[in-house]
Amino acid sequence: MDATASIIFIIAAFSLGAIVIMKRDSLPTGLRRGLALVSIAFIAFAFFMIVYAFFTMGKA
């Protein structure tokens, strides 16, 4: 697995979550729920990628 692409995705997912949390008051109501769900899905997948990287660490 390409580590660079994984790291970029992980940083982007957590950044999106932080932006949604910081700007939740200025987001329209309809967009707020969708962005929150997408952010949760991206962060969950990023967390899975981190755990998977730890479990496969050291294998060739």
Side-chain angles (χ1 to χ4, degrees):
M1 181 169 27
D2 186 19
T4 306
S6 298
I7 291 172
I8 291 172
F9 175 77
I10 291 166
I11 291 171
F14 283 107
S15 298
L16 175 64
I19 290 169
V20 168
I21 289 172
M22 288 188 291
K23 296 292 184 179
R24 68 178 173 255
D25 295 333
S26 62
L27 292 172
T29 306
L31 190 61
R32 188 181 312 159
R33 176 172 285 183
L35 277 176
L37 291 174
V38 169
S39 297
I40 289 171
F42 282 172
I43 291 171
F45 187 66
F47 181 73
F48 168 76
M49 289 174 63
I50 292 169
V51 171
Y52 178 75
F54 282 136
F55 278 123
T56 59
M57 192 181 302
K59 294 182 182 177

